Amino acid sequence: MEVRVFEHEASAPATLAAAEVAVRDGAHLILCCRDAETSRQVASQTAEWGVPLLSLHPTSVRSAAGWHVAVGTEAAEELRAIIGDAYARGARTFGMMMPAGPEGDALLARLPGYFGAPGMTLATPARYEPGASVLTPEALWVATRLPDVVIAWGDAVDPVTALWGLRDRGWRGPVYLPSAVVPSLANRPAPPSTMGEVRTMAPPSSVWMFLPRSDPSYDAVLTARAWGAGRLASNGALADGARLHDALRLLDAALTPWTSGAWAGVSVDEVRLALADALTSLPALDLATGRYDPDPRIPAAGRAAGLRPVRIVNGRLQPLVTTP
């Protein structure tokens, strides 16, 4: 196997240009992309070229299905994991704060499918304008519905504003935030833990220090740490280094059935197609950043079962004291 590494500026056009050079030189697969926009552009183009892509961001480009495997857990799966964890811990009545606008509308349409377990009730979600500096009216609406738990959903910033609104309105119950907020807490801390527990779902590699040996991802996390000389991420909750490890593990699993002479006489295009088929047909694997179950119909390969529930205390991830 030959691996070519392209170093370039961190932008979608530069990444796309590097990918084009690699494809022109006969690359059988592209591995790249740590942000949403770059993932979208490169996935769309590589699918058009007929070249498989392993991206290091969960952004899913449906038109690239069958060619694109996104090594990450998209927001919808993370939300599914949050709801499942809260339910397992005894929550039956759910409150939710979520953004207005097209993305919020799309999520709202999907919510009924997430709350179908026996006894589960979702109060009417409070919608807020993205970028708002104060969300206490929306928080009051949610708090007065007396839920067992609240999910403050959105981007990397707004859910923290929603959390402050809930605490300012006296809500002291558990609040779940998307994991995307964790890096931003260095600039805007969450309310103190004495005002109530704050939870999120994290990849196993982000909680390696308290991962039990019985965890299905334990061995993969140890291997990823060894590969990275003890480092799994450039940021505590980002898991970017571990995600690269997992992408290479997926590639290795896809190549394993092939013998060294299997490619003799096979064209570059045929190899690319065979590799895409092998990647999207892999069985579920528990790796360092979660459980991956590639699907030729859906590029995002991360599954809810691969995430681990944690508390956020002073901007750091800590184990939950109670277990479902």
Side-chain angles (χ1 to χ4, degrees):
M1 180 186 295
E2 178 187 353
V3 178
R4 288 188 62 187
V5 178
F6 289 79
E7 295 187 28
H8 53 77
E9 65 175 273
S11 70
T15 304
L16 197 56
E20 186 173 6
V21 171
V23 170
R24 191 168 57 242
D25 290 348
H28 296 121
L29 175 139
I30 301 295
L31 193 161
C32 77
C33 313
R34 291 171 52 185
D35 66 84
E37 183 56 33
T38 303
S39 297
R40 275 191 287 267
Q41 291 193 30
V42 175
S44 298
Q45 189 60 66
T46 50
E48 199 172 299
W49 291 332
V51 179
L53 170 71
L54 277 168
S55 66
L56 305 179
H57 192 277
T59 293
S60 189
V61 180
R62 295 301 177 100
S63 63
W67 293 100
H68 178 204
V69 175
V71 186
T73 306
E74 63 180 351
E77 280 291 308
E78 183 179 349
L79 180 57
R80 191 184 302 277
I82 285 174
I83 295 167
D85 182 71
Y87 184 79
R89 294 175 190 280
R92 294 297 179 266
T93 304
F94 289 72
M96 191 163 186
M97 298 178 68
M98 55 186 292
E103 289 189 14
D105 293 343
L107 176 59
L108 188 63
R110 299 175 69 171
L111 286 182
Y114 292 3
F115 290 91
M120 187 180 283
T121 302
L122 172 65
T124 303
R127 307 288 298 276
Y128 62 79
E129 288 300 321
S133 58
V134 177
L135 292 175
T136 46
E138 295 84 353
L140 180 62
W141 165 268
V142 172
T144 54
R145 268 62 193 167
L146 303 178
D148 297 322
V149 67
V150 174
I151 301 170
W153 199 248
D155 60 13
V157 178
D158 290 335
V160 180
T161 306
L163 173 63
W164 274 106
L166 288 163
R167 298 313 189 210
D168 288 343
R169 286 300 185 182
W171 169 255
R172 297 295 182 261
V175 178
Y176 283 86
L177 304 180
S179 59
V181 308
V182 177
S184 68
L185 292 177
N187 300 319
R188 187 184 182 189
S193 58
T194 54
M195 299 179 74
E197 192 167 76
V198 180
R199 304 170 182 170
T200 191
M201 305 298 291
S205 61
S206 293
V207 295
W208 64 268
M209 66 293 292
F210 47 85
L211 204 64
R213 290 181 179 273
S214 59
D215 191 284
S217 289
Y218 184 82
D219 290 341
V221 171
L222 288 186
T223 303
R225 290 196 74 233
W227 282 17
R231 294 193 66 195
L232 291 166
S234 58
N235 178 286
L238 196 56
D240 46 354
R243 192 164 286 117
L244 175 59
H245 161 274
D246 289 354
L248 293 172
R249 285 282 299 273
L250 289 170
L251 177 57
D252 179 66
L255 290 171
T256 295
W258 298 83
T259 63
S260 58
W263 308 107
V266 181
S267 71
V268 171
D269 287 341
E270 289 173 324
V271 172
R272 289 168 174 168
L273 178 59
L275 189 51
D277 288 343
L279 278 169
T280 56
S281 301
L282 285 172
L285 296 169
D286 287 294
L287 299 176
T289 55
R291 177 170 298 173
Y292 293 102
D293 189 6
D295 187 327
R297 301 165 300 174
I298 305 171
R303 300 292 171 253
L307 300 176
R308 306 293 180 264
V310 293
R311 294 183 302 151
I312 303 175
V313 180
N314 297 326
R316 296 179 178 274
L317 303 181
Q318 300 290 335
L320 278 169
V321 176
T322 56
T323 56

